[in-house]
Amino acid sequence: MKKLFLAVSAFSLMAAAAFAFDGSPFLSVAPGVTSYTKTDYSVTTKFGEYYRTPSVKYQHVFNERGQEVESYEYTATNTLVDKVIYEYNDQGVLLSQTCYDPKDIMLWKIVSTFDDKGKKKEDSEFGKNNVLTGKVIYKYTDAKTSEEASYNGDGALQWKIIYTYNDKGLVLESNTYSADGALEEKKVFQYNTLDYVTEISSYNEHEIFTGRELYHYNDKNQLTEYTTYGPDNQISTREFYKYDDKGNLIKTTVYSVAKKFGTSVNEIIDMSDFAYEY
């Protein structure tokens, strides 16, 4: 199961939880849900027909407050791969995430610390034998996260992200820098009138456009389509989302878009189903 923070920023994680539905914890569920299972499928084609085969399963378990407390990863044959246990304080703030293998041996742990105003100061990651393997330190300006800096276990800077905000407090731009201070990537965000992100444009270290992401919503403000574009501004993938009548996500389907046989072709490359328990 993926570690949650050392490779990506907090805003990226929020976007993943809100939009990507990729098996990460904290997917919003309807009241009363005690758990859900996400099944990912590999997709193949034979004689022009699509066939899907289960590849991996994730189970997410919630407490009576609707907080995720456990998550499990299984193979397609229901063999446990690993599990993550989440711990909260009395105010419902996530304090730690600990991953174990099938023999209950700790693989990694992430511990969060906060200042006296409740703002997160650090995320520290520990490997086996509780050895510190990395740390992200957060800085704030005007109550907003202005900077995230990631360090390895020896305290050496790995990357830094600096954020700017609009007058509504929404992320307007993020700039990711390498340890030597050179720009690696720039992202620019756009929103609709309800403050839902609608577009993210990406640029490389030379501030040359490299791609963009578009988010489409229905009249219930549910994400229905996530579309990515390459540096040529042509569609590369489309991901569609379906929901049940309680608002729970029940299916995602990903298509690769390419020019084939003289026309634009949408080919299924990934599928996931979600099943809920109450």
Side-chain angles (χ1 to χ4, degrees):
M1 190 168 290
K2 295 184 296 183
K3 299 174 186 178
L4 294 182
F5 77 94
L6 289 185
V8 293
S9 73
F11 187 85
S12 297
L13 289 173
M14 182 192 71
F19 304 121
F21 306 121
D22 63 352
S24 299
F26 318 126
L27 172 66
S28 178
V29 296
V33 170
T34 57
S35 71
Y36 75 85
T37 299
K38 175 177 180 280
T39 303
D40 293 342
Y41 298 88
S42 58
V43 180
T44 58
T45 58
K46 293 182 180 179
F47 306 109
E49 299 291 335
Y50 290 102
Y51 297 88
R52 68 179 193 175
T53 304
S55 58
V56 63
K57 296 180 181 180
Y58 301 95
Q59 182 186 21
H60 300 269
V61 181
F62 300 84
N63 61 19
E64 64 281 357
R65 299 173 67 178
Q67 299 166 320
E68 182 156 11
V69 292
E70 300 173 1
S71 59
Y72 300 85
E73 180 180 354
Y74 297 92
T75 66
T77 56
N78 294 317
T79 299
L80 180 65
V81 176
D82 55 29
K83 65 179 179 181
V84 178
I85 305 300
Y86 307 94
E87 297 183 350
Y88 303 82
N89 63 16
D90 293 339
Q91 288 71 46
V93 176
L94 180 65
L95 299 179
S96 69
Q97 309 154 60
T98 309
C99 182
Y100 300 91
D101 70 11
K103 296 183 179 180
D104 282 334
I105 296 174
M106 190 186 85
L107 299 176
W108 53 263
K109 183 175 186 177
I110 298 172
V111 178
S112 302
T113 58
F114 300 83
D115 62 21
D116 55 7
K117 296 181 180 179
K119 293 188 177 299
K120 184 183 291 189
K121 295 194 302 182
E122 297 180 358
D123 280 322
S124 298
E125 181 180 345
F126 301 87
K128 291 182 178 181
N129 302 316
N130 278 313
V131 175
L132 181 68
T133 57
K135 181 178 290 192
V136 174
I137 297 177
Y138 302 88
K139 292 184 179 180
Y140 299 86
T141 300
D142 298 328
K144 296 293 183 182
T145 305
S146 57
E147 181 181 303
E148 298 177 25
S150 176
Y151 300 84
N152 65 19
D154 295 322
L157 180 67
Q158 301 297 292
W159 50 257
K160 181 180 288 190
I161 302 177
I162 296 177
Y163 298 96
T164 59
Y165 296 82
N166 62 19
D167 55 7
K168 299 176 72 174
L170 302 172
V171 174
L172 185 64
E173 187 175 299
S174 69
N175 289 276
T176 301
Y177 299 89
S178 59
D180 62 3
L183 178 68
E184 287 188 343
E185 184 180 46
K186 172 182 174 181
K187 288 183 177 289
V188 178
F189 300 80
Q190 296 183 35
Y191 302 85
N192 62 19
T193 56
L194 297 177
D195 296 340
Y196 285 72
V197 64
T198 56
E199 182 174 336
I200 302 176
S201 298
S202 299
Y203 303 84
N204 65 14
E205 67 275 17
H206 303 297
E207 298 201 43
I208 297 173
F209 176 79
T210 58
R212 62 186 176 122
E213 308 158 55
L214 293 185
Y215 301 86
H216 306 274
Y217 307 89
N218 60 20
D219 55 7
K220 296 180 180 179
N221 298 319
Q222 297 167 323
L223 182 69
T224 56
E225 182 181 345
Y226 167 69
T227 310
T228 63
Y229 293 76
D232 57 359
N233 212 24
Q234 297 298 308
I235 296 178
S236 55
T237 63
R238 301 178 72 189
E239 186 163 359
F240 295 92
Y241 309 95
K242 291 184 178 180
Y243 303 84
D244 62 19
D245 56 4
K246 295 183 179 180
N248 291 313
L249 180 69
I250 56 174
K251 180 183 288 292
T252 64
T253 308
V254 184
Y255 294 84
S256 173
V257 182
K259 291 287 186 180
K260 291 186 177 181
F261 309 112
T263 187
S264 182
V265 178
N266 292 270
E267 296 182 324
I268 299 176
I269 58 174
D270 198 8
M271 298 178 69
S272 298
D273 286 339
F274 297 74
Y276 297 84
E277 294 185 1
Y278 293 83

